[in-house]
């Protein structure tokens, strides 16, 4: 019977011969990872550059399968381990893999795609309709939610790429669809870009994330910063929040009494404020009308619900003339 080190050496040499395609085209790689706060040795099958297969602990394989179950029969142990590896691989989709994208000169190069670095962003749907034909997205009222991959962030400059249909097709080849990526993004985005609330006045706030990039996405975090504002505001008489979505990077929020926006003239003022900001600063407006976050902790982003008490003709005249460029104008970012 082989001792641990002998078994390890034999496994590296022989395991590939006991496993079926496509794993048989790879190689066994040993590494150490933390499991239950302990560094433990294991292996995976590497099939292409920068790609890891599932990680299998070596010690249980040696003790439980080789020594105990197979009584030192190495060939039988290899067959059993191969079946176990294949079964686990069918159930687990790799979190990290390689995709091909183009650089600024249209040359192909390999990029490491880590699903834990996928995050979501929101933009104005109407203003970005032409872009969205090639970008998988979900519509939320007059907004489109799309996905990006965080490539690097050194604290001064953040680099990311849009997950377009070409990139998504490569990801689907790895066993992931758009809905799976959305579910990852829902967990990743608040961790990658924690929400930040700046209190400007007694009932006036700026919400974004710590980097002030793509900060309007915080409106759709599972734990909404709007909920935090509502629960910690000073006055119990103010039971609604008005959200001015004047930028893709941040939103202005202030508390108000019910009815929050039903009055036509108040709505007009909010609408003019958003448009004036866009015209003055050339920013990327998320929506041309305000949102409401009410005491039911629901964010109203559908203009039909928001404007239900305003005459239809007046509302139509206010909203259809969306003349501002919704796309990022900053040199280092674009969509």
């Amino acid at each position: 019977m082989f001792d641990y080190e002998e078994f390890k050496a034999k496994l590296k040499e022989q395991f590939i011969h006991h496993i079926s395609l496509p794993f048989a085209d790879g190689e066994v790689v040993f590494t150490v990872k933390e499991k239950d706060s302990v560094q433990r040795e294991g292996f995976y099958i590497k099939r292409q550059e920068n790609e890891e297969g599932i990680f299998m602990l070596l010690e249980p394989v040696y003790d439980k399968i080789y020594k105990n179950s197979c009584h030192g029969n190495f060939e039988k142990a290899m067959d059993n381990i191969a079946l176990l590896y294949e079964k686990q691989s069918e159930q687990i989709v790799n979190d990290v893999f390689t995709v091909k994208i183009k650089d600024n000169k249209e040359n192909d190069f390999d990029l490491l795609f880590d699903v834990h670095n996928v995050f979501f962003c929101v933009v104005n749907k109407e203003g970005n309709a032409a872009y969205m034909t090639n970008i998988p997205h979900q519509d939320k009222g007059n907004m489109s939610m799309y996905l990006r991959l965080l490539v690097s962030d050194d604290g001064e400059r953040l680099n990311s790429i849009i997950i377009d249909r070409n990139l998504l097709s490569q990801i689907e080849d790895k066993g992931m669809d758009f809905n799976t990526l959305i579910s990852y993004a829902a967990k990743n985005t608040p961790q990658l870009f924690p929400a930040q609330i700046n209190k400007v006045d007694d009932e006036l706030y700026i919400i974004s994330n710590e980097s002030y990039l793509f900060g309007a996405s915080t409106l759709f975090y599972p734990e909404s910063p709007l909920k935090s504002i509502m629960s910690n505001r000073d006055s119990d008489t103010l039971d609604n929040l008005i959200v001015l979505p004047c930028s893709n990077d941040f939103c202005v929020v202030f508390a108000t009494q019910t009815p929050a926006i039903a009055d036509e003239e108040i709505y007009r003022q909010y609408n003019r404020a958003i448009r004036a900001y866009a015209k003055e600063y050339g920013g990327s407006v998320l929506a041309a009308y305000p949102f409401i976050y009410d005491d039911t902790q629901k964010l109203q982003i559908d203009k039909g619900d928001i404007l239900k008490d305003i005459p239809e003709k007046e509302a139509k005249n206010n909203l259809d003339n969306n003349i501002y460029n919704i796309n990022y104008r900053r040199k280092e970012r674009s969509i």
Side-chain angles (χ1 to χ4, degrees), residues 272-283 285 324 329:
R272 285 196 295 267
I274 296 171
R275 292 181 179 277
Y277 175 87
K279 186 174 183 179
E280 178 70 20
Y281 296 101
V285 179
Y324 298 111
R329 296 178 179 178

Side-chain angles (χ1 to χ4, degrees), residues 103-134:
D103 60 19
N104 293 333
K105 297 181 180 180
E106 293 297 308
N107 296 317
D108 289 335
F109 72 96
D110 290 339
L111 177 72
L112 200 62
F113 191 102
D114 186 344
V115 296
H116 300 290
N117 286 334
V118 173
F119 64 97
F120 67 81
C121 305
V122 287
V123 293
N124 182 276
K125 179 173 69 175
E126 181 181 352
N128 289 276
Y131 290 94
M132 289 299 135
T133 58
N134 191 44

